[in-house]
Amino acid sequence: MQSILVSSSWNKNDDIFEKSEVWAAKNTPEDKPTNLEHDENLIIGHITSNWPISENGEVLEEGIDMNDLPEKYHILTGSVIYRGFSNPELKERAENLIAEIENGTKYVSMECFFKGFDYGVEDQTTGSYKVLARDENTAYLTKYLRAYGGVGEHENYKIGRVLRNITFSGKGFVDKPANEDSIIFNKNLIKSQENILEPEEKINDFNKTGVLTT
């Protein structure tokens, strides 16, 4: 199966993935485990490959100039779901997941480690955005971050967490993703030999979800 793991954007958890940070981490998802609802006791497969792609589904070249990198792009991952269990319960769990994906009711949600963060601040009146470095003068803003129990706002500003030095560590199959673009693609969009999206297909078609079974 193929899915969007992460986008260079501000997600619903108020975590902000800047384009340069995502680019530096773009190859780290490969060979990482996948699970159900972020439960590490429910491993269901692993990630086999990854590519950075634009919003119109074009693969971004490895040597792209950072000035030419789109503000918003996505990391597309290929992955496998384990089916060959001898345990009937585990086998049923896998088949149920595949059925949910084919019915279009499952999404994915990335997992990652990071070594620090700054603050993304958006004026809710003007929409202007800026990043504040986290230091002794700004550290008080942490208490307003939703990740640490805050409301995500302070003095008419929306506040997010800009993750730094990211390593993607896996993904969960979930019902409600933090990144609205984290869809799973239909098997008809997959080139069986090249294992990549057809270039003319658009990644924002939420009706085309599924898996390729063998």
Side-chain angles (χ1 to χ4, degrees):
M1 54 153 287
Q2 291 181 329
S3 60
I4 298 299
L5 178 72
V6 66
S7 305
S8 57
S9 61
W10 188 319
N11 72 19
K12 294 179 181 178
N13 291 332
D14 287 345
D15 282 333
I16 302 169
F17 293 85
E18 288 196 337
K19 66 178 185 178
S20 59
E21 295 288 346
V22 173
W23 189 260
K26 67 184 184 301
N27 295 321
T28 61
E30 194 162 330
D31 299 324
K32 302 304 195 308
T34 63
N35 59 51
L36 299 179
E37 296 291 343
H38 296 303
D39 188 336
E40 64 181 12
N41 295 306
L42 300 177
I43 301 299
I44 197 69
H46 70 277
I47 297 170
T48 59
S49 52
N50 39 254
W51 313 271
I53 62 172
S54 67
E55 288 201 89
N56 65 4
E58 296 177 352
V59 176
L60 301 174
E61 298 297 330
E62 180 69 31
I64 189 173
D65 189 294
M66 289 296 100
N67 293 323
D68 296 329
L69 194 64
E71 284 301 317
K72 185 175 181 180
Y73 64 95
H74 314 274
I75 302 300
L76 167 71
T77 59
S79 62
V80 295
I81 296 171
Y82 303 152
R83 304 177 76 196
F85 295 105
S86 57
N87 184 312
E89 292 184 3
L90 296 180
K91 187 173 183 62
E92 182 180 11
R93 186 183 71 184
E95 298 303 326
N96 286 342
L97 172 61
I98 290 171
E100 289 180 294
I101 292 171
E102 291 180 333
N103 288 333
T105 59
K106 279 294 182 187
Y107 298 84
V108 299
S109 177
M110 72 86 211
E111 298 174 346
C112 74
F113 300 110
F114 57 95
K115 295 183 179 180
F117 65 88
D118 293 319
Y119 306 100
V121 179
E122 180 182 280
D123 189 313
Q124 297 190 83
T125 300
T126 66
S128 61
Y129 170 80
K130 63 181 178 181
V131 175
L132 298 178
R134 183 171 181 262
D135 56 30
E136 61 182 9
N137 295 317
T138 60
Y140 73 94
L141 293 172
T142 297
K143 65 185 177 183
Y144 299 107
L145 291 171
R146 290 177 59 205
Y148 302 104
V151 296
E153 297 180 4
H154 177 55
E155 296 183 349
N156 199 44
Y157 287 93
K158 180 180 179 182
I159 301 176
R161 183 174 63 168
V162 182
L163 305 186
R164 301 300 190 192
N165 297 310
I166 301 167
T167 297
F168 294 109
S169 56
K171 70 181 177 185
F173 289 96
V174 299
D175 295 328
K176 296 180 179 180
N179 176 25
E180 62 183 11
D181 292 317
S182 286
I183 63 170
I184 299 171
F185 291 100
N186 185 278
K187 61 187 177 183
N188 295 325
L189 299 188
I190 300 173
K191 291 182 179 179
S192 59
Q193 297 300 318
E194 298 181 24
N195 196 32
I196 197 167
L197 288 177
E198 295 285 358
E200 66 271 17
E201 297 291 353
K202 304 299 183 182
I203 65 169
N204 58 357
D205 189 341
F206 283 79
N207 295 316
K208 298 179 178 179
T209 56
V211 292
L212 177 65
T213 57
T214 58

